[in-house]
Amino acid sequence: MLEVRGIHAAYGAVRALEDVSLSVGAGEIVCLLGANGAGKTTTLNCISGIVPVTQGRILFEGEEVTSERVDWLVARGIVQVPEGREIFPGLSTQDNLELGAWTRRRHNGRAAGLERVYELFPRLKERAAQRAGTLSGGEQQMLMIGRALMAQPRLLMFDEPSLGLSPILVQQVFRIIRRLHEEGMTILLVEQNARMALEVSARGYILENGEVKLHGEAGSLATDPQVREAYLGA
Amino acid sequence: MSLVLQGVASGVVTGCVYALVALSLVIVYKATDVVNFAGGELVMIGAYLGLLLLLWFQLPYIAMFALVPVAVFAVGALFDRITLRKVGGRALAKHVDLVSFVVATIGLSYLLKGAVRVVPFTEEVRRLPPLFSGPPVFIGDVVLQRQDLAIIAVTTMIMLALWLFFERTLLGKALRATSQNARAAALVGVPVSAMRMAVWGLASAIAGIAGVLLAPKLLMTPDMGAVVMLAFAAAIIGGFSSLPGCVVGGIALGVIQNLVGIFISPQAIAVTPFFVIMLVLLFRPEGLFGESLALKKV
């Protein structure tokens, strides 16, 4: 479904990605692991159209989407759940969700989408009228996932969804990811928590200094001695 | 007593105009972090466009009143599209040099003033006819011109429309979302640069309407944009981030000016706004409606 072929990216003179290739099949969960600064977020941002690709190609459902505009890509179904608390703090929870469906604003089924998000995250329904800035960290993470779902994604990309959350909330986030996968969603997952990421994923890629160092089945990565030492702390 | 009441009533009227211009400044500031020093010239250009449409094209008043905001919307939107987007580069860059944006707005103010000066039509000092003419209206002891009532009515309608737009429509919410978190707005697929353009257009249109409302009360000159200082004062009283704050700030300033004129001296009117700005910055720098500065985004 998604095919990244040898992309390069740079911030000014600093190279961020070099010849990164990866693919995600329809309905698959693939994780992208690596240390801080390895280029994981940059890879997602290249796919999302936020960071320009200087070389290489990105194909989505067989179609060239390299360096397309963000809004076009979201409408096409490539949606990112960004890292951190990227919400609209002064708008209500419900308004945040409804803006998630911005690219679907002329389509029907927005109300159904909202119902579905509230069913996945009953907590958000309780907080519907509350200003999003007053939600707890965990609720804000749920809100970002819900907002991304409102766009009816075909490929959902998570950037460090467990960052800064308590262990219980991390479990909850991964439960949601697993559930979305079971319902057929295609997922590209960037995580620092390599253990949990490899548990839910079918395959994984390991980035180091902007290059793909290793890739393979999640099971074999989890038992690879190098990976175990560097990322699993074993 | 009736003198004071009269002063308050006329203060509310001029305050409405300050409030409109302040709204224009604050809408741009909230959405783009740019302080628009051309705000006053957008008022001026609105007034002169009105004059041009009425006297040159002989349009009926109502058509002029509908066309001016459209034209000034285009001026603001094009300024953003042509200048600011070039100056700023990529809309989502993390570090944008705001100084160059602000300098660009100063450039726009000189451009507009210069453009009006070279039009031969503007050599003669003229006065824009009022929206409604006729004998003044008495409310108790207070006398108001019909134009004054029109100013209050139009200002109220614009405020109501803005409130409905920002609170009730998806586009209005998308504009607010863009000003609160441009990156997140881009990620949900909101076209951020188009939104910025729309904000510039909208804010300019409001300034243009303020020009048409204000011009009948003054002599028109290319320097009438100086009214922007009063709008800055009004916006600062309101905290420079709150739309209701602009309205309250504008009206308060209009009333204070008139009371200063009555009780202290008419010469003191001119310094009043600066004095008010100083007092607000000294004792309540976040303004009456602004969020506490400590809570501002870090």
Side-chain angles (χ1 to χ4, degrees):
Chain A
M1 175 174 260
L2 175 77
E3 216 179 312
V4 175
R5 289 190 191 156
I7 58 167
H8 294 239
Y11 297 104
V14 185
R15 81 183 172 100
L17 294 182
E18 195 155 297
D19 199 23
V20 169
S21 296
L22 60 87
S23 67
V24 185
E28 203 181 19
I29 301 193
V30 171
C31 64
L32 191 55
L33 307 175
N36 261 334
K40 308 183 299 285
T41 298
T42 306
T43 308
L44 288 197
N45 284 343
C46 283
I47 299 169
S48 281
I50 295 176
V51 170
V53 172
T54 52
Q55 240 187 80
R57 301 171 67 194
I58 299 170
L59 302 173
F60 183 65
E61 297 180 320
E63 202 182 306
E64 175 101 33
V65 297
T66 321
S67 302
E68 283 289 353
R69 280 168 39 157
V70 190
D71 41 327
W72 187 87
L73 291 166
V74 172
R76 192 79 174 69
I78 302 180
V79 182
Q80 185 187 142
V81 180
E83 180 190 333
R85 304 284 170 259
E86 301 276 7
I87 54 160
F88 308 120
L91 296 179
S92 72
T93 299
Q94 180 142 343
D95 286 345
N96 268 264
L97 291 172
E98 281 178 353
L99 280 169
W102 173 261
T103 56
R104 301 269 174 264
R105 65 193 179 284
R106 294 201 182 85
H107 298 62
N108 297 323
R110 276 165 51 205
L114 195 62
E115 272 317 300
R116 175 166 154 63
V117 169
Y118 281 154
E119 182 238 321
L120 270 175
F121 304 108
R123 193 59 178 229
L124 294 182
K125 189 166 190 173
E126 291 167 28
R127 301 267 186 263
Q130 207 171 313
R131 271 167 51 125
T134 64
L135 300 181
S136 72
E139 288 163 350
Q140 293 188 6
Q141 184 65 49
M142 304 302 166
L143 178 58
M144 289 201 300
I145 299 175
R147 189 182 63 192
L149 290 173
M150 292 294 288
Q152 300 174 18
R154 302 181 51 73
L155 167 69
L156 192 53
M157 303 192 292
F158 288 89
D159 194 359
E160 308 275 11
S162 74
L163 196 76
L165 296 184
S166 71
I168 292 172
L169 286 171
V170 173
Q171 293 284 349
Q172 205 182 331
V173 166
F174 273 91
R175 231 185 346 256
I176 295 286
I177 293 175
R178 197 170 273 143
R179 174 161 168 198
L180 291 172
H181 167 63
E182 282 161 8
E183 290 170 4
M185 183 73 74
T186 308
I187 295 171
L188 178 58
L189 173 63
V190 159
E191 254 301 341
Q192 292 249 346
N193 189 334
R195 190 183 305 274
M196 295 210 63
L198 286 171
E199 259 176 49
V200 298
S201 305
R203 293 185 303 113
Y205 292 80
I206 293 180
L207 276 181
E208 227 177 78
N209 296 323
E211 292 174 54
V212 176
K213 197 188 164 212
L214 266 177
H215 65 98
E217 302 288 315
S220 64
L221 284 177
T223 53
D224 184 284
Q226 269 179 298
V227 175
R228 286 175 66 88
E229 195 189 335
Y231 301 103
L232 298 173
Chain B
M1 189 58 206
S2 69
L3 186 67
V4 174
L5 272 182
Q6 179 67 49
V8 170
S10 336
V12 169
V13 173
T14 41
C16 280
V17 178
Y18 304 159
L20 282 181
V21 184
L23 281 173
S24 162
L25 297 174
V26 168
I27 289 173
V28 162
Y29 177 72
K30 280 182 71 147
T32 65
D33 289 331
V34 175
V35 178
N36 176 16
F37 282 100
E41 279 61 43
L42 292 164
V43 173
M44 182 270 294
I45 212 84
Y48 273 103
L49 279 171
L51 192 67
L52 191 75
L53 291 175
L54 283 186
L55 298 189
W56 194 272
F57 292 98
Q58 303 277 320
L59 285 182
Y61 203 95
I62 192 74
M64 179 280 274
F65 207 83
L67 275 176
V68 165
V70 174
V72 187
F73 183 102
V75 171
L78 285 175
F79 170 66
D80 176 66
R81 179 70 186 80
I82 295 169
T83 314
L84 294 186
R85 213 180 283 185
K86 289 276 183 286
V87 172
R90 289 176 55 79
L92 294 175
K94 283 235 166 106
H95 304 285
V96 185
D97 187 8
L98 288 173
V99 174
S100 37
F101 285 124
V102 173
V103 173
T105 70
I106 296 175
L108 176 67
S109 83
Y110 280 92
L111 181 78
L112 293 178
K113 261 192 273 193
V116 169
R117 283 210 182 95
V118 295
V119 178
F121 184 64
T122 62
E123 271 168 11
E124 217 176 306
V125 174
R126 291 169 194 264
R127 195 186 276 266
L128 193 70
L131 179 51
F132 298 115
S133 45
V137 180
F138 285 86
I139 306 168
D141 287 339
V142 175
V143 191
L144 287 175
Q145 300 297 325
R146 285 173 189 242
Q147 175 69 5
D148 294 345
L149 296 176
I151 287 176
I152 295 176
V154 172
T155 307
T156 311
M157 281 190 302
I158 289 175
M159 284 159 191
L160 204 63
L162 279 179
W163 181 80
L164 284 174
F165 176 65
F166 282 119
E167 293 291 331
R168 292 281 180 271
T169 69
L170 192 66
L171 180 61
K173 288 172 187 173
L175 288 173
R176 285 167 67 202
T178 308
S179 84
Q180 289 169 18
N181 189 337
R183 200 183 125 76
L187 283 172
V188 300
V190 172
V192 171
S193 38
M195 290 290 147
R196 295 227 160 109
M197 211 166 123
V199 162
W200 268 95
L202 175 68
S204 305
I206 294 170
I209 296 174
V212 173
L213 291 175
L214 179 65
K217 296 179 69 76
L218 312 167
L219 288 178
M220 288 174 65
T221 72
D223 292 316
M224 66 182 279
V227 68
V228 78
M229 277 318 300
L230 297 152
F232 273 118
I236 288 169
I237 296 173
F240 225 90
S241 62
S242 148
L243 303 190
C246 289
V247 177
V248 174
I251 292 174
L253 183 66
V255 171
I256 291 170
Q257 267 191 320
N258 275 0
L259 295 183
V260 165
I262 294 168
F263 288 110
I264 301 175
S265 134
Q267 277 88 36
I269 291 176
V271 294
T272 306
F274 303 99
F275 193 66
V276 169
I277 292 180
M278 267 165 52
L279 286 184
V280 170
L281 292 182
L282 265 179
F283 294 109
R284 212 181 143 78
E286 70 274 24
L288 302 182
F289 288 76
E291 288 168 20
S292 157
L293 291 180
L295 284 176
K296 271 240 153 158
K297 59 190 171 191
V298 279

